[in-house]
């Protein structure tokens, strides 16, 4: 069982609409959680980084939330644009020693006109 | 792509041949990483290096080898021992324990 699970696997929304992507994790002890955006055939690019003490972090139209008690995070995209079409990957980092990084399988978002 | 380059973008090889993927960074990062990405799976760590002349196996190191002779460079060799080498390979770098920056990736196809 993957220690970082994302839902939905894929999502299609109309341009201008909002959407929320989910990430549940079982990784422990937890250091920080990151959301990456990956365009097709490209490397992932960081959107947000949150430590266990942070509840929310924004980056433009992207807002990530974190509930460390329930081990859940979400990424909310406001007023979607065609360029938001990509895979969004949730990444959880263990605390202590070398930073053990666990990647979710991603949510593939398609924004259509 | 933040100062990390990978080459080539596409690579084709015949089964049984070794192939080396290049990764270079000019971010002065100490740590470098190689990941493999397959459809429907999260990125999986192949090898990582925290300092020059030192590297450690990741979760799926079998059939791969690396070297770290220079801080800027961390080439990955996919050997003929790797059973399913066709994949998208991503290199990343970071300062210790901080955010990883990814390269643009190399798509390797072995036939």
């Amino acid at each position: 069982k993957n220690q970082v699970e994302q839902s939905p696997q894929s999502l299609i929304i109309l341009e201008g609409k909002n959407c929320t992507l989910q990430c549940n994790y079982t990784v422990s002890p937890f250091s920080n959680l990151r959301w990456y955006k990956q365009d097709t055939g490209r490397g992932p690019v960081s959107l947000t980084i949150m430590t266990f003490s942070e509840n929310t972090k924004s980056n433009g139209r992207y807002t990530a939330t974190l509930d460390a008690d329930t081990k859940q995070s979400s990424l909310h995209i406001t007023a979607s644009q065609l360029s938001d079409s990509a895979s969004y990957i949730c990444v959880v980092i263990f605390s202590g020693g070398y930073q053990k990084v666990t990647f979710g399988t991603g949510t593939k978002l398609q924004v259509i006109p | 792509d933040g100062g990390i380059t990978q080459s080539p973008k596409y690579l084709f090889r015949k089964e049984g041949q070794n192939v080396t993927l290049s990764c270079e960074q000019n971010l002065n990062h100490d740590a470098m990483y190689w990941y493999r990405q397959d459809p429907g799976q999260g990125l999986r760590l192949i090898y990582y290096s925290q300092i020059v002349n030192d590297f450690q196996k990741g979760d799926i190191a079998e059939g791969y080898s690396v070297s770290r002779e220079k801080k800027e460079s961390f080439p990955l060799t996919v050997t003929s021992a790797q059973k399913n080498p066709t994949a998208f390979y991503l290199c990343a770098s970071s300062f210790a324990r901080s955010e990883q920056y990814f390269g643009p990736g190399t798509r390797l196809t072995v036939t």
Side-chain angles (χ1 to χ4, degrees):
Chain A
K1 182 177 167 72
N2 199 349
Q3 291 181 297
V4 180
E5 294 192 337
Q6 294 186 243
S7 61
Q9 280 190 321
S10 61
L11 182 63
I12 301 174
I13 62 172
L14 291 174
E15 185 179 11
K17 297 297 186 182
N18 303 336
C19 67
T20 300
L21 314 180
Q22 300 290 343
C23 174
N24 296 339
Y25 63 92
T26 59
V27 169
S28 174
F30 167 83
S31 174
N32 60 80
L33 184 146
R34 305 169 186 172
W35 282 93
Y36 282 85
K37 177 186 179 186
Q38 184 178 21
D39 293 314
T40 301
R42 305 293 298 274
V45 175
S46 178
L47 293 174
T48 63
I49 301 174
M50 290 184 293
T51 65
F52 68 90
S53 62
E54 294 179 291
N55 298 119
T56 185
K57 183 72 71 76
S58 291
N59 178 2
R61 295 180 297 102
Y62 300 101
T63 299
T65 64
L66 173 64
D67 186 334
D69 292 331
T70 62
K71 295 186 170 64
Q72 295 179 324
S73 177
S74 64
L75 180 69
H76 186 74
I77 304 175
T78 304
S80 62
Q81 301 175 358
L82 298 178
S83 60
D84 292 331
S85 296
S87 289
Y88 292 85
I89 303 172
C90 175
V91 182
V92 180
I93 291 85
F94 288 100
S95 61
Y98 156 67
Q99 56 160 350
K100 174 68 174 176
V101 180
T102 302
F103 291 81
T105 56
T107 292
K108 190 173 179 64
L109 174 65
Q110 184 178 359
V111 181
I112 60 175
Chain B
D1 298 323
I4 301 179
T5 58
Q6 291 185 242
S7 61
K9 188 170 178 63
Y10 299 97
L11 192 54
F12 298 88
R13 279 295 182 271
K14 294 289 187 183
E15 192 174 325
Q17 293 179 331
N18 292 356
V19 59
T20 297
L21 282 59
S22 167
C23 177
E24 305 277 334
Q25 54 97 3
N26 61 5
L27 301 169
N28 200 34
H29 286 164
D30 295 307
M32 297 187 73
Y33 315 81
W34 273 105
Y35 294 93
R36 170 182 172 138
Q37 188 173 37
D38 295 285
Q41 296 192 43
L43 274 69
R44 292 182 291 169
L45 181 65
I46 303 172
Y47 268 98
Y48 66 96
S49 168
Q50 294 180 273
I51 196 169
V52 175
N53 291 323
D54 184 61
F55 49 83
Q56 306 296 329
K57 292 182 179 180
D59 300 319
I60 55 166
E62 185 175 353
Y64 300 97
S65 65
V66 293
S67 63
R68 186 86 187 278
E69 297 176 2
K70 298 187 300 181
K71 188 175 186 177
E72 303 80 18
S73 179
F74 191 42
L76 173 74
T77 296
V78 184
T79 75
S80 57
Q82 168 50 234
K83 300 302 181 188
N84 297 294
T86 294
F88 188 52
Y89 290 89
L90 284 161
C91 178
S93 69
S94 72
F95 291 115
R97 301 192 194 182
S98 66
E99 177 184 354
Q100 293 183 16
Y101 291 82
F102 287 86
T106 292
R107 185 166 298 281
L108 172 65
T109 302
V110 177
T111 58

